[in-house]
């Protein structure tokens, strides 16, 4: 939390509303001097004032406290375990439907063509499986999904793939 940025954000929001420091102070129950100190980055609004301050400035508490920076909103959350199950479900499809079934063959062909690979090799080779697992997680990260870094650290067997996924986590603001 950067106190200077927070103060600057309060000032910008106040000015955009066309109100003075005195008017803002009156509306939230503090002196204009308190508002001035916030805007200069000398102090922060009291926690009890933040909800009313956000309402008066027509914003959110997060927007104020993040100094106007956007928060990252994820489209969902995944786990390594769920991704692993997802890939395994394709293998199960082949077992249940039969590997010559058109539905299974089409799914495999689609993956192989799109990824220029052989997904069935992943069903018999742990290293290749983990490569697909990493790719599945990365594709989700790219599309805006969240994964817990500790989950990645604890659930990859191969350091190489774990590090690649962690690198992508960092790129997408997941630390």
């Amino acid at each position: 939390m950067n106190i200077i940025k927070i103060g600057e954000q309060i000032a910008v929001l106040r000015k955009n509303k066309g109100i003075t420091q005195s008017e803002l102070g009156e509306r939230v129950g503090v002196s204009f001097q308190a508002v001035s100190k916030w805007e200069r980055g000398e102090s922060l609004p009291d926690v009890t004032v933040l909800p009313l301050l956000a309402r008066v400035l027509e914003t959110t508490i997060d927007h104020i406290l993040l100094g106007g920076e956007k928060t990252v909103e994820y489209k969902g959350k995944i786990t390594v375990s769920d991704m692993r199950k997802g890939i395994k479900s394709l293998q199960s499809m082949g077992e249940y439907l039969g590997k010559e079934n058109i539905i299974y063959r089409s799914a495999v062909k689609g993956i192989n063509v799109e990824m220029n690979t052989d997904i069935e090799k992943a069903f018999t080779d742990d290293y290749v499986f983990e490569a697909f697992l990493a790719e599945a997680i990365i594709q989700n990260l790219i599309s805006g999904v969240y994964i817990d870094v500790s989950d990645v650290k604890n659930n990859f067997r191969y350091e190489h793939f774990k590090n690649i996924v962690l690198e992508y986590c960092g790129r997408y603001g997941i630390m």
Side-chain angles (χ1 to χ4, degrees):
M1 183 180 336
N2 183 329
I3 192 169
I4 302 293
K5 280 189 167 191
I6 293 169
E8 290 170 353
Q9 181 64 12
I10 292 170
V12 165
L13 292 168
R14 177 185 58 76
K15 290 172 185 174
N16 286 345
K17 297 280 300 161
I19 58 178
T20 66
Q21 289 179 339
S22 293
E23 290 169 324
L24 179 59
E26 284 176 28
R27 292 187 189 182
V28 298
V30 300
S31 68
F32 77 89
Q33 293 96 335
V35 174
S36 178
K37 284 183 176 184
W38 299 342
E39 292 183 1
R40 290 192 315 266
E42 294 177 9
S43 67
L44 289 171
D46 188 84
V47 170
T48 60
V49 174
L50 284 172
L52 182 56
L53 180 62
R55 201 170 322 125
V56 168
L57 296 175
E58 295 181 6
T59 190
T60 64
I61 294 170
D62 280 353
H63 195 244
I64 293 170
L65 294 180
L66 291 172
E69 292 181 13
K70 277 200 148 256
T71 58
V72 177
E73 294 193 22
Y74 297 102
K75 295 179 182 176
K77 182 177 180 183
I78 57 171
T79 65
V80 174
S81 175
D82 286 346
M83 294 290 96
R84 194 179 299 278
K85 286 177 193 172
I87 296 168
K88 290 263 186 205
S89 69
L90 182 61
Q91 180 181 11
S92 296
M93 182 191 298
E95 292 167 6
Y96 291 122
L97 297 177
K99 294 194 179 198
E100 298 309 316
N101 183 286
I102 186 108
I103 295 170
Y104 174 76
R105 293 281 4 124
S106 296
V108 167
K109 181 180 179 184
I111 292 168
N112 290 346
V113 168
E114 286 294 316
M115 296 181 69
N116 192 28
T117 190
D118 179 5
I119 184 70
E120 289 176 304
K121 186 168 183 186
F123 304 150
T124 59
D125 183 327
D126 285 344
Y127 188 81
V128 175
F129 184 90
E130 198 146 291
F132 276 98
L133 178 62
E135 183 62 31
I137 292 170
I138 290 166
Q139 290 304 314
N140 275 282
L141 292 172
I142 290 169
S143 69
V145 176
Y146 175 84
I147 190 166
D148 190 300
V149 170
S150 63
D151 186 29
V152 174
K153 289 179 179 176
N154 295 326
N155 290 297
F156 268 86
R157 295 179 190 155
Y158 298 97
E159 202 72 23
H160 172 72
F161 296 120
K162 174 173 49 176
N163 290 336
I164 291 171
V165 172
L166 290 172
E167 178 187 328
Y168 272 85
C169 287
R171 287 185 195 179
Y172 290 95
I174 301 170
M175 305 293 181

